[in-house]
Each structure stands twice: as C-alpha cells, then as structure tokens.
Amino acid sequence: MAVLLSSVQSEAQRIAFWNVENFFDTRNDTLTNDDEFTPDGARHWNYQRFYRKRNALAKTIIAMGCPAVVGLAEVENSWVLHELTKSGPLRKLKYQVVHYDSPDKRGIDCALLYRSDSVHLIEKKVIDMSDIQAELHTRDVLQVALRINGGDTLYLFVCHLPSRLNGDVSDQQRRLVAERMRRQMDEVAADHPDALVLAMGDFNAEPDEVETLFPKPRFMMLPGKEALLAGSYNHQGSWMLLDNMVAISSPRCEPLAFDVFRNEFLIEKDDKQLTTKPFRTYSGPRYKGGISDHLPIYLDLPR
C-alpha cells in the first residue's frame, strides 16, 4: 500500500476491496441477464439464500475490523447494498453507499461502502468504460474522493476489469479499460498533488500483467510477499492474485504492502486438487451456501 507521509500516526484506517460473487436480489430485471438468480431460475435463488449470503458478507466485513472503506464488485443494485448496510449485522456501523448502475449485460456493478463516522465523502462519479466499436459492454469504474485521517484526501478508483474467458479479446479489453483508468488517475494526480490516488479491484489479471497495464515508475503495485504467495482466487487448484491495488507513485508516498484477508469460514478444502479454495456460493449450478469465490484484500493507512 501507499500512504501520505504526513498522515503516519499511531493508528490505522483500513481500506478493503472484495469481489463478493453475484450478490443479486431475487427479482427479475427485464433489462439485464439476471434470470438465473430468481426463485424460478436455474440457480433457484430465493430470499433465504439471499439473506444467508448477506449475513455472511456482513460477518466478513466485521471480521476484517469494520474497515473505514470497502470497495465491492459483482453487486446487482442499490437495494442489495441497502440490505447489507441498513439491515442485519452492519446496521449500527454507519456505512454509507456509493453505487451507480452500469451497462454490464448481467447487471453486476462496482460499489463503495464508507463509514460516515470516520470518513467524509467529497465527491463521487462514474467513469463509463464501455466502447461500442470494441464491442465492450463492461462494468463502470467508480471514482470517489474521500477525506480520511482527519484531513488527508484519498481518491479511489474501484474497478472490475473484463474477464479472462475470451482469450485475446479479453486481453485487449482489459488493456483498453486500464488505459482509460491510467489517464483519469494521472489527471487527478496532476490536479491534486497532495492526495493519495489509488485503484483497487478485481483486475482479472495476475501481478505480472497488472504491472504491464500500470507500468512503473508512474504507477506502483502494492501486493506484499504474503499476498503474492497466498492469492485471492483459486483456479483448478492454483491460487492466483487477481485482486490488486495500484497507486500513483509520488515522492510523498511510502510503499507498504496490502494483504489478503484469509479466515477459516471463507475457505474450504478442495479434495480433488489437494488444496484449499474460497468457499463460494455456487459450484456451477449447485448451491453450496458459501460466501464468494474471491477473498478480500485490504491495506492499512497509518494515521
């Protein structure tokens, strides 16, 4: 992670990101491809399953220490975020929501939660990452300015880059989204040289690819050694670090390392692959009752 040297004190503000894997409501949205996440759909998604997932997400956020800021990916709409923050275990923690609907075909978006008792929202906007000519209809990127640590300004870009499913096409789409993010981050850094400018999200890319998308010396990747070894996602028995944080490099920033949040209730044994993996909600069409196929990542900003 990176933090303004002026903000180093004895305590920390925790900043987290988590791809929460298909956090859908149970209603059919006729404008998106969400039919499978309805009671009559292929996954038989109902209120009982929704509330079980909501409570498990809340339990994890609490177990992480109730971070000051939590970026999220794969949430369907503002209603599920309201249910997460205003009902159930998180209802007393003063989390506020930043969310915009995006043009993703499945209707999954990025979002941000922040604790209004310790963080002040300065501004928010959405950056459209779709491109008709490139046949790219993907998640928007959230750009949020926050005042933390009693005065320091943090500009956050919360992203969920295109998937890895379509080979070279997906690679090209990730490069396109990353290029637009770089330009926007550079503009913010030029206008606000004393702010920390940080992108976090599911990059759908491992660290070597992320480093080509956000090259040094202008950008610095922030994973620590333990995060690199542990990974946040498991594919066919191999742990991968697809979730990442990248900051604008600045003489005012001191590099520190983010970590992957690993807790026993987030992980299950994979007997077939002789390893472990995130305890996900579904395995194909089969309901497992787990939480997400990704583990959260987090950093602590000293204050």
Side-chain angles (χ1 to χ4, degrees), residues 5 9-10 74 99 106 155 165-166 170 173 190 194 200 207 210-211 230 233 245 254 266 286:
L5 294 176
Q9 297 180 22
S10 59
E74 293 200 15
H99 168 262
R106 297 180 59 235
Y155 276 86
L165 294 177
N166 297 320
S170 296
Q173 291 175 341
D194 291 331
M200 64 179 184
V210 175
E211 198 161 359
Y233 179 82
M245 298 187 182
E254 174 186 344
L266 293 171
R286 182 168 64 91

Side-chain angles (χ1 to χ4, degrees), residues 189-255:
D191 292 339
H192 305 277
D194 291 331
L196 172 60
V197 182
L198 175 71
M200 64 179 184
D202 178 355
F203 287 74
N204 266 310
E206 292 201 82
D208 56 348
E209 181 182 346
V210 175
E211 198 161 359
T212 65
L213 297 175
F214 295 86
K216 297 178 180 178
R218 183 56 173 156
F219 298 89
M220 55 183 178
M221 290 180 56
L222 308 176
K225 182 178 180 181
E226 290 186 5
L228 285 169
L229 292 175
S232 60
Y233 179 82
N234 190 296
H235 177 66
Q236 296 182 350
S238 297
W239 281 95
M240 311 165 71
L241 188 63
L242 300 185
D243 306 278
N244 216 308
M245 298 187 182
V246 177
I248 289 281
S249 183
S250 166
R252 292 178 56 82
C253 291
E254 174 186 344

Side-chain angles (χ1 to χ4, degrees), residues 60-61 83 116 142 153 159 170 177 223 234 240 251 274-275 278 299:
T60 305
I61 291 172
E83 286 295 302
S116 59
L142 285 184
T153 301
C159 64
S170 296
V177 172
N234 190 296
M240 311 165 71
L274 301 179
T275 183
L299 60 79

Side-chain angles (χ1 to χ4, degrees), residues 33-154:
N33 184 19
D34 71 341
D35 294 21
E36 61 181 331
F37 284 95
T38 60
D40 296 327
R43 295 177 186 257
H44 304 291
W45 185 242
N46 55 35
Y47 278 109
Q48 180 181 3
R49 293 179 176 185
F50 169 81
Y51 286 118
R52 177 173 177 172
K53 184 178 180 84
R54 181 204 67 179
N55 291 342
L57 296 178
K59 175 183 177 181
T60 305
I61 291 172
I62 293 171
M64 280 195 287
C66 306
V69 180
V70 184
L72 300 172
E74 293 200 15
V75 299
E76 184 180 19
N77 51 41
S78 294
W79 183 85
V80 301
L81 295 165
H82 182 275
E83 286 295 302
L84 175 63
T85 58
K86 306 305 180 187
S87 302
L90 295 185
R91 64 186 180 276
K92 296 182 180 180
L93 291 177
K94 297 185 178 181
Y95 276 111
Q96 301 299 315
V97 171
V98 178
H99 168 262
Y100 297 90
D101 287 318
S102 76
D104 180 85
K105 293 180 180 179
R106 297 180 59 235
I108 54 174
D109 312 318
C110 293
L112 187 84
L113 312 181
Y114 68 94
R115 292 187 58 176
S116 59
D117 57 347
S118 60
V119 176
H120 174 69
L121 176 67
I122 301 172
E123 64 181 40
K124 60 182 180 178
K125 62 184 289 188
V126 65
I127 307 171
D128 183 2
M129 289 293 168
S130 296
D131 189 309
I132 296 176
Q133 290 184 341
E135 298 184 354
L136 175 61
H137 302 279
T138 192
R139 281 77 59 175
D140 295 333
V141 171
L142 285 184
Q143 179 182 323
V144 183
L146 305 167
R147 185 165 292 116
I148 60 173
N149 294 333
D152 288 325
T153 301
L154 170 65

